Amino acid sequence: MTVQASENSSRRGRRSSTMGGMPVNDMPWWRWRSNVRSALHMLSDPGFQRDVWLAGVDGYGDVTDAVYRLVEDTWLDHWSAEKYVGTIFRDAQEAALVDTAVLRVLRIMHQVGPDAPVAAYLEHEAWPEAVRAAREAHVRLAAGDGEEPDTAPRRLDVLQIMTRSA
């Protein structure tokens, strides 16, 4: 299979190629970016949280899983996303939005505990602000990748296939 570059280079904020019909991000550490985007997407969508996480729908993980994807490879719980401008994040604005979302979500996680039920997160007084911060970051990253931010979050098995495919 041949990977063909598109006319829209990511240097201008667009996807640069596809593989088997799926976008292949042209950021050097695009797999990490994919995990961060997946987490931000889930953390930014109250409807998804209600209809999937609270309802216990399989295949999407829970809040703790999303936070883990957000910080597992990147160590964004230890240092700024600014460190990854040019590798995971396209620019300082993306990095700043991600830092804000990470700090808000982690603060809640530390208060309610990583094993708390989903409802404990969603009922936390600071949760709406964490959702807003995650939404701002998610929208910015999706736009940078030339994708629609309002599509439904992908199941984790689909994310796993996408991050193994290139």
Side-chain angles (χ1 to χ4, degrees), residues 15-36:
R15 270 181 271 172
S16 66
S17 59
T18 63
M19 179 177 281
M22 289 191 290
V24 175
N25 195 316
D26 56 354
M27 296 300 294
W29 296 351
W30 66 270
R31 287 177 178 89
W32 290 11
R33 183 178 175 92
S34 296
N35 282 326
V36 168

Side-chain angles (χ1 to χ4, degrees), residues 5 7 36 39 44 71 88 91 97 104 108 118 127 139 149 162 166:
E7 296 173 13
V36 168
S44 72
V71 301
I88 299 173
D91 55 36
L97 291 170
R104 292 205 168 110
I108 295 167
V118 171
W127 190 251
V139 167
M162 289 176 61

Side-chain angles (χ1 to χ4, degrees), residues 29-156:
W29 296 351
W30 66 270
R31 287 177 178 89
W32 290 11
R33 183 178 175 92
S34 296
N35 282 326
V36 168
R37 281 196 52 204
S38 169
L40 289 169
H41 196 170
M42 291 179 185
L43 292 166
S44 72
D45 186 340
F48 168 84
Q49 294 164 13
R50 180 190 62 246
D51 297 342
V52 175
W53 283 345
L54 273 176
V57 175
D58 287 333
Y60 295 91
D62 60 14
V63 178
T64 303
D65 296 318
V67 174
Y68 184 71
R69 274 193 320 285
L70 190 60
V71 301
E72 72 177 316
D73 291 323
T74 60
W75 284 48
L76 292 174
D77 51 340
H78 294 278
W79 51 62
S80 173
E82 182 72 28
K83 177 180 180 98
Y84 298 113
V85 169
T87 55
I88 299 173
F89 306 113
R90 295 184 188 285
D91 55 36
Q93 186 178 10
E94 277 189 359
L97 291 170
V98 169
D99 278 340
T100 300
V102 167
L103 291 173
R104 292 205 168 110
V105 169
L106 287 177
R107 185 175 300 125
I108 295 167
M109 176 176 257
H110 291 303
Q111 290 174 1
V112 302
D115 296 323
V118 171
Y121 288 91
L122 277 55
E123 293 168 1
H124 191 279
E125 62 189 20
W127 190 251
E129 187 53 40
V131 169
R132 272 191 295 281
R135 173 71 181 170
E136 289 175 11
H138 164 64
V139 167
R140 175 74 184 203
L141 270 65
D145 292 343
E147 295 185 359
E148 171 59 44
D150 293 324
T151 60
R154 293 182 178 104
R155 292 175 48 91
L156 297 181

